[in-house]
Amino acid sequence: MHPSALLIKANPHMRARTRQLLEQLGAHVEETGAGMDGLALFEAMTPDIVVLDMAMQDLDAHTVCRTIRKLPNGQSVPVLALLDYEDSRVIDAAYDAGATDCLVKPVCATVLRRRVRYMLDSRHCLHVLAAKEAQLAKAQSIAAVGSWYWDILEGHIQMSDEMRRLHGTTEDVVDGNCDVLLRHVHPEDRPLVELALQNAWRLGLPYDIEYRLLCADGTQRYVQGKCEVAMAPSRQPLRMVGTVQDISERKLQEVRLLKTANYDVLTDIPNRNLLNDRVTQAIAHAQRAGQQVVMCCLDLDGFKFINNSFGYAAGDMLLRMVALRLTDAVRECDTVARLGGGEFIVVLHGVDKDAPVGALARKIMNQFLAPFVVEGQDIYVTASVGISVYPQDSHNGDGLLRCADAALHMAKGRGRNCAEFYTHKMGVDAERHMALETAMRTALDNGEFELDYQPKVALRGGQVFGMEALLRWRRPGLGVVSPAEFIPLAEETGAIVAIGEWVLRTACRQLRHWHDMGHTQLTMAVNLSPRQFVRQDVPALIRATLADSGLPAKALELELTESILMSDGTGVRDALLQLKAIGVTLALDDFGTGYSSLSYLKRFPIDVLKIDRSFIQDLAADAEDASLTRTIVLMAQSLHMKTVAEGVETLAQLSFLRRCKCDAIQGYFFSKPLNADAMTSLLRDRRCLPAVVNAVNPRQTLLIVHDSMDVVASLSGMLRDEGYQILGAATPEQAFELLAIHPVQVILCTLRLPAMSGTALLERVKKMCPETIRILLSEHRDLDAVLEAIDRGTAYRFYSKPWDERKLRENLRDAFRHQAALYGSGNAGAGNGADGDDPFTGDALPALLERG
């Protein structure tokens, strides 16, 4: 790019010649003969050089030169002054006016060209230097780096713009010593900076340090200062060059990162990282002081449910409130940390050995007595707590945490909302738990899982119509692992998904084999896990399995838990509707033990209710279990569902269930779970329940309960001609068992029995067998108790000694007629409208009667 030149010269001839010389240099020239015009042209073009004849007429050339220097960019434009004669005063006047250089007329053309070229080159260099300085200043501003230069010999310090900004000063050059560098240093950091400067001055040592500056507005900045020293051969300092960089943002980030690394972002309490340090310190202090460290591992019960019900924002607010309550409940020296989710750790430091640790734990539990107010709503939350103590349970933080976690699992297993102290057995159980989890990862690939099959038997007819596939784990060299131990572990780890698919495919292949043997009526029940519905497309899996095995869909029964129905109403319901469309049977397992709700039975397409073994176990003696079982059967009938009772082990249980019109049973009374070969043998033998007795008109049955069997025998002899089937029992246990087995229309019970009064026994009979007419035998002195029983409806009638044989016979006939009128001839016991035929013959029944 060609340079531009402004020529201000009065003599036209000399102006033309000078212009020619400038153009020979490649310059674009603007010219004028007047000073005022020259100033106007300067403002318009801002030339690269001005050639000014100092002999001007309209305006003094010195004034023109001084004015140029005051105009924008005028300072940096070189001005070549042309003088009429050489005189020191004239030359000084030109330089004082602002001329860059001077030439005396007449000017030699070569000298003029050389001088102009030199001045243009100098201007270009100055431009480049200014640009670099501007770039450096911009870079320093962006990087927040200021620089300073100390000319020790001259005794002044020069500072860059950014340096002045950081130090809050307006002077770019300061005469004096290093005090200007120390003036704004934070008093606590000043000794550090002074020492660094002294070492640089005396020893020539460079430094790189961090310190703080106090700003004029009272704020402080973190800076990083660096310095290097130039020394003379005599080891005297000549100059020092340094930089100061603002690192406040970096320091703030470091603080944030440090906090993030050590504190929970949500609750602002220590996280696992800082917890480890605090526990290590607490143990070290306790070891020196002979004290204890108590660690409480705390988990909010049902926190996932709260998140799902109220939303994650409410869950986060709750966690912050819990953190505040726990922090307020402990001393300042103690530690409250959050591990994640709803799990917190409370570490009590420096606890005396005789301190009541249980009381400390209760104080923590008490923080959950009052509700938490979240978004204007009261939320009641409980917590399970596991507690470990140093040095009894472990000598390090990791060990204490493992022990507290093991105790926490025990607390949750006890039903939650409680605290458990760690015991050695928990440690053994935790190690076994870990070993099982490790072994389970390879058990499926190693073929360690097996299936047993427990027959399901129809109570009408007694034939086997299906079976339930039950998973077994046989560990090489260790034997069979209890399903109660490994199934929850498989659920917890997610391994149940792959295992469940293997069970489904294996069971269907086995059933296909039995179908091919001719047992085409058989069905197979397979349990499904909630995780399978979450992690798999269950309908697609069922379709693929049925296609692979060649089974008809109606032969497969899928057993669901209530937790599956609770997990995701819409998603699960859609999946179940798809399964029903495929044609499989859906059963609700362990009905009545969880969050049983009629809404489930209404919303979901369930075909079968399985009555849990916990109701069946005490069926013959527990009035509540008997009533609930009867109610479940009746409810299922009203909803057109089938019922299957699990865990049937006695004749009494089976008889009761049959009179309740339960559809089927499974349990040890008929068969324990069998492997495939044993099940094949059972099917081949066509084994079934004892033959059904098709008695059309069963005998009227009377149960006599008296602590003296002689009295029972006497009454039986008295009533022999009435044609009753008479049963006798000397204890309540015998009475309940006979009631479960036989359809008893009338019970005759003495008031005084061992372990239970006659009124209490009849009260239970009223609940268990409401169709049985209840009559009391009493002494005269028992009149008040008898009358109370009559008033409460416990007893239908009573007889006092001595008994009138004729009246007793008549009243018993009346009781049987009354029972038949209310419930139908031959119907009694548990259930309404039972068949009345005793379903079993063989050895079991006579033996039981002889014992009664």
Side-chain angles (χ1 to χ4, degrees), residues 283 286 290-293 353 389-396 400:
I283 289 176
Q291 294 175 319
Q292 298 180 113
V293 175
K353 288 190 174 181
V389 181
Y390 165 88
Q392 294 93 310
D393 300 326
S394 179
H395 287 79
N396 59 70
L400 280 180

Side-chain angles (χ1 to χ4, degrees), residues 329-366:
V330 299
R331 301 165 300 176
E332 189 174 348
C333 64
D334 297 326
T335 299
V336 176
R338 177 172 175 248
L339 298 187
E343 189 170 1
F344 293 81
I345 299 293
V346 178
V347 182
L348 305 176
H349 301 231
V351 178
D352 292 336
K353 288 190 174 181
D354 57 351
V357 177
L360 298 176
R362 282 193 298 274
K363 184 178 179 182
I364 293 172
M365 294 285 291
N366 288 342

Side-chain angles (χ1 to χ4, degrees), residues 708-725:
S708 171
M709 291 307 294
D710 291 338
V711 174
V712 173
S714 174
L715 289 171
S716 298
M718 180 191 306
L719 301 170
R720 183 177 297 112
D721 297 338
E722 296 294 319
Y724 304 142
Q725 175 181 325

Side-chain angles (χ1 to χ4, degrees), residues 3-17:
S4 59
L6 173 60
L7 175 60
I8 305 174
K9 193 172 178 67
N11 188 311
H13 176 72
M14 296 301 297
R15 190 166 68 242
R17 175 155 178 79

Side-chain angles (χ1 to χ4, degrees), residues 141-280:
S141 176
I142 293 173
V145 177
S147 60
W148 54 272
Y149 173 84
W150 185 6
D151 188 331
I152 297 174
L153 297 180
E154 293 293 332
H156 63 260
I157 295 175
Q158 184 175 352
M159 294 187 290
S160 69
D161 294 343
E162 186 65 18
M163 182 70 179
R164 293 197 303 275
R165 186 187 70 81
L166 289 174
H167 276 257
T169 182
T170 57
E171 301 175 89
D172 58 349
V173 178
V174 179
D175 293 332
N177 52 29
C178 63
D179 286 345
V180 67
L181 301 176
L182 297 170
R183 187 178 304 157
H184 297 284
V185 175
H186 194 286
E188 294 178 3
D189 298 337
R190 183 160 183 151
L192 171 67
V193 181
E194 287 179 340
L195 179 62
L197 286 170
Q198 289 175 6
N199 288 337
W201 174 282
R202 296 172 181 173
L203 306 175
L205 297 177
Y207 65 76
D208 184 348
I209 56 175
E210 293 181 4
Y211 55 94
R212 289 167 293 173
L213 292 177
L214 281 178
C215 302
D217 59 2
T219 61
Q220 65 179 23
R221 295 180 179 274
Y222 283 89
V223 297
Q224 182 177 26
K226 297 183 179 181
C227 172
E228 291 186 354
V229 187
M231 305 288 286
S234 61
R235 302 302 299 164
Q236 293 296 317
L238 299 175
R239 55 190 172 274
M240 297 171 65
V241 178
T243 60
V244 176
Q245 182 177 13
D246 188 345
I247 59 171
S248 301
E249 187 62 31
R250 189 184 83 191
K251 280 291 185 182
L252 183 60
Q253 285 295 110
E254 288 177 359
V255 171
R256 289 172 181 164
L257 289 174
L258 184 62
K259 186 166 185 177
T260 301
N262 291 287
Y263 287 85
D264 178 57
V265 176
L266 178 64
T267 59
D268 203 30
I269 61 176
N271 59 15
R272 186 185 296 270
N273 187 49
L274 183 55
L275 172 68
N276 292 337
D277 290 341
R278 295 276 182 89
V279 174
T280 300

Side-chain angles (χ1 to χ4, degrees), residues 457-476:
V457 187
L459 285 179
R460 184 179 295 276
Q463 290 85 17
V464 174
F465 69 90
M467 64 278 298
E468 180 181 357
L470 300 172
L471 181 63
R472 300 291 183 260
W473 182 12
R474 194 178 303 277
R475 292 185 64 187

